Amino acid sequence: MIEQLELFKVLNQEQLNEVDRFVERQNQHVIDRVASIKKMIDLLTDAGFEEGVNFDRNVKTGVETTERSFGWGDNRFTHEVTFNTVVGGVYLIHKRFYNGQLVTTKSSVSREGDKLECSSITPQYRAYKPSTLLVKLSEYNEDQQWRFDNYTKKNQILNYTLDKYSKLYPNATVETGTGYMSRNSFPTVLVSFESGSWVEFRLGYRQDEEYMFKKFDATVDALKGMDLLNHFNEQK
């Protein structure tokens, strides 16, 4: 019964003031946000950005009515309020190389005065002049395109080399391996024979430029001590 009465409790003046201040803050936030977005768009277009080409906007304003909590401790109370809302913002359109794919995606832009920040495409977490950000965007797109082209080229060489040795040695097992040098890894082509011997190739920058990275001779490498010495002694 007490809880039911609380639902219809009339707010006192202090509580009404708190609700009014909340609504005023929310409404002012919408005004400020919309103005900031307009400023960002002006900065971008003045610097040479083109909407729909290398930047986009997705901003929605509305009105929300919801039950919210106010106050603290014993002074805590709930009340239904109606206030303005805004969601979305401004986004740069850019390339991204990820998981073997080159995709077009969007990253949000923020503003600090007359400078803009989009840390997804810049080497530093800071704001830049809009004209500089346009250069950074171009550099980032070129880098992502290069990464994709390089990845594609390496895969073409890898597949060509796998096919090459599969045809040269049809009874061998030809598969992709992984080589390591210092802390770096790289793809290899591993050719394994029925005898247990194998040769591992590291790929070159072009087709047919692979070279031997490692090898294992099942006959020689299994020899130990005197057997190995005798084998060498019998070599002509």
Side-chain angles (χ1 to χ4, degrees), residues 12 18 25 27 43 72 82 89 98 108 141 144 169 215:
N12 59 40
E18 185 168 354
R25 287 195 304 270
N27 292 344
L43 289 171
W72 300 93
T82 299
Y98 177 72
S108 61
N141 283 335
Q144 297 299 296
Y169 305 101
K215 65 182 178 66

Side-chain angles (χ1 to χ4, degrees), residues 153-154 156-158 160-162 164-165 187 189 200-213:
K153 179 181 178 181
K154 286 182 176 180
Q156 290 174 343
I157 295 173
L158 174 62
Y160 168 85
T161 307
L162 289 168
K164 170 184 172 180
Y165 285 101
V189 170
E200 188 173 20
F201 294 97
R202 183 169 183 175
L203 302 176
Y205 292 104
R206 288 179 288 272
Q207 293 179 357
D208 297 318
E209 289 189 352
E210 71 274 5
Y211 57 92
M212 188 173 64
F213 176 60

Side-chain angles (χ1 to χ4, degrees), residues 49-63:
F49 286 83
E50 297 181 54
E51 186 166 4
V53 177
N54 43 31
F55 87 91
D56 196 10
R57 74 177 97 183
N58 182 14
V59 183
K60 295 181 180 179
T61 57
V63 178

Side-chain angles (χ1 to χ4, degrees), residues 28-51:
Q28 187 61 49
H29 166 71
V30 173
I31 294 172
D32 294 342
R33 179 60 177 162
V34 170
S36 180
I37 289 172
K38 182 180 183 304
K39 177 66 174 178
M40 279 193 282
I41 293 172
D42 290 342
L43 289 171
L44 288 168
T45 54
D46 289 346
F49 286 83
E50 297 181 54
E51 186 166 4

Side-chain angles (χ1 to χ4, degrees), residues 3-235:
E3 292 179 355
Q4 292 178 339
L5 291 174
E6 287 291 330
L7 292 175
F8 301 99
K9 181 179 179 181
V10 178
L11 300 183
N12 59 40
Q13 190 59 50
E14 183 179 348
Q15 291 172 327
L16 286 173
N17 291 341
E18 185 168 354
V19 171
D20 290 342
R21 287 194 296 269
F22 167 80
V23 173
E24 183 178 350
R25 287 195 304 270
Q26 288 297 119
N27 292 344
Q28 187 61 49
H29 166 71
V30 173
I31 294 172
D32 294 342
R33 179 60 177 162
V34 170
S36 180
I37 289 172
K38 182 180 183 304
K39 177 66 174 178
M40 279 193 282
I41 293 172
D42 290 342
L43 289 171
L44 288 168
T45 54
D46 289 346
F49 286 83
E50 297 181 54
E51 186 166 4
V53 177
N54 43 31
F55 87 91
D56 196 10
R57 74 177 97 183
N58 182 14
V59 183
K60 295 181 180 179
T61 57
V63 178
E64 179 179 344
T65 299
T66 185
E67 189 89 5
R68 294 187 65 91
S69 296
F70 298 90
W72 300 93
D74 295 337
N75 296 322
R76 189 176 183 84
F77 65 97
T78 59
H79 187 67
E80 184 180 88
V81 290
T82 299
F83 52 91
N84 296 331
T85 61
V86 59
V87 294
V90 179
Y91 307 87
L92 293 191
I93 303 172
H94 60 86
K95 297 178 181 180
R96 186 190 180 203
F97 172 63
Y98 177 72
N99 200 26
Q101 301 291 325
L102 185 67
V103 299
T104 298
T105 188
K106 299 178 182 180
S107 296
S108 61
V109 183
S110 58
R111 182 174 67 89
E112 293 182 11
D114 289 335
K115 293 184 177 182
L116 301 173
E117 180 177 346
C118 183
S119 58
S120 296
I121 66 155
T122 58
Q124 297 176 311
Y125 290 91
R126 68 178 183 86
Y128 294 82
K129 292 180 179 179
S131 58
T132 303
L133 188 62
L134 182 58
V135 174
K136 296 295 182 184
L137 174 60
S138 177
E139 292 174 346
Y140 182 83
N141 283 335
E142 290 176 0
D143 174 72
Q144 297 299 296
Q145 183 68 54
W146 179 87
R147 290 174 182 267
F148 173 72
D149 292 343
N150 189 51
Y151 173 84
T152 301
K153 179 181 178 181
K154 286 182 176 180
N155 271 317
Q156 290 174 343
I157 295 173
L158 174 62
N159 292 330
Y160 168 85
T161 307
L162 289 168
D163 183 65
K164 170 184 172 180
Y165 285 101
S166 293
K167 291 178 178 178
L168 286 173
Y169 305 101
N171 294 327
T173 300
V174 182
E175 57 190 344
T176 302
T178 302
Y180 297 91
M181 185 169 291
S182 297
R183 295 183 178 180
N184 299 319
S185 65
F186 46 87
T188 62
V189 170
L190 182 63
V191 184
S192 303
F193 299 90
E194 293 179 353
S195 63
S197 300
W198 53 263
V199 177
E200 188 173 20
F201 294 97
R202 183 169 183 175
L203 302 176
Y205 292 104
R206 288 179 288 272
Q207 293 179 357
D208 297 318
E209 289 189 352
E210 71 274 5
Y211 57 92
M212 188 173 64
F213 176 60
K214 289 181 179 180
K215 65 182 178 66
F216 175 78
D217 187 320
T219 301
V220 175
D221 292 346
L223 296 176
K224 305 295 181 181
M226 294 302 297
D227 291 334
L228 180 60
L229 292 172
N230 291 333
H231 174 78
F232 289 155
N233 187 55
E234 293 171 1
Q235 288 180 339

